[in-house]
Amino acid sequence: MPALSLDAFWDAVAASRLVADGQLPQLRVACEADAGAAAAEADKQTALAAQWLVRQGVLTLWQAKRLTRSGGGSFFIGGYRLLDKREHLHGGDIYRGLHEPTQRKVALVPLDRKACERVEVWTEVVNRTERAAQTTDPALSRTWALEEADSGRFIVAEDLPGPSLAED
């Protein structure tokens, strides 16, 4: 897959909603002045701009990689901004996220849409989520909610710092 052009990358950043529209022109000017992205060879411009945005704390590394590889995708689930993606030990994905209204960092576990349509599966998910929310063991992450957005249902849990068990 060819790298995105610098203009296509900035268009993808704008479309991602990760940066306020009013900030984008100033960020681009500052990036090109500081990182030299506009003056670099064409195949390195996008990478330099993405690296600069990560260093400035505007994007996470995962967001930058996703924008440079595919040019976008959704970076939000409901009221949560997706910061990072990790694979779950038993399959599936877990996202590190930020609850925009409260600025609380959370873990988001998307649930299989088709499986949740089956009554017995959904009942088990609800029961397990309720039990997990009642758990007070400090060794376990706290489960806060079972929510639904346009993209489907998901579990909201405490975001534990450190590497995932899959990375050890």
Side-chain angles (χ1 to χ4, degrees), residues 142-153:
R142 290 177 283 184
T143 299
W144 286 314
L146 184 57
E147 295 190 20
E148 186 168 1
D150 292 339
S151 58
R153 294 173 175 164

Side-chain angles (χ1 to χ4, degrees), residues 27-137:
L27 279 174
R28 185 168 182 171
V29 168
C31 173
E32 291 175 359
D34 192 26
E41 296 174 31
D43 63 335
K44 294 182 182 175
Q45 290 176 332
T46 302
L48 288 172
Q51 290 168 2
W52 186 85
L53 289 169
V54 171
R55 282 195 309 275
Q56 301 306 309
V58 175
L59 299 177
T60 65
L61 183 58
W62 175 76
Q63 292 166 339
K65 285 180 179 179
R66 194 160 173 218
L67 284 167
T68 57
R69 285 186 190 139
S70 65
S74 178
F75 290 93
F76 294 87
I77 297 177
Y80 300 91
R81 174 186 299 253
L82 302 179
L83 303 173
D84 195 8
K85 177 182 171 182
R86 296 192 171 166
E87 291 182 12
H88 189 274
L89 283 173
H90 305 290
D93 297 318
I94 297 177
Y95 292 91
R96 286 186 53 249
L98 181 70
H99 185 242
E100 293 275 298
T102 64
Q103 296 296 296
R104 174 185 265 179
K105 289 190 177 178
V106 297
L108 303 170
V109 182
L111 300 171
D112 182 280
R113 187 184 294 266
K114 290 273 188 212
C116 288
E117 290 174 359
R118 295 184 12 228
V119 174
E120 67 277 6
V121 171
W122 182 242
T123 302
E124 185 65 20
V125 167
V126 169
N127 289 338
R128 286 182 184 213
T129 303
E130 287 174 350
R131 284 195 308 267
Q134 295 169 0
T135 300
T136 58
D137 188 328

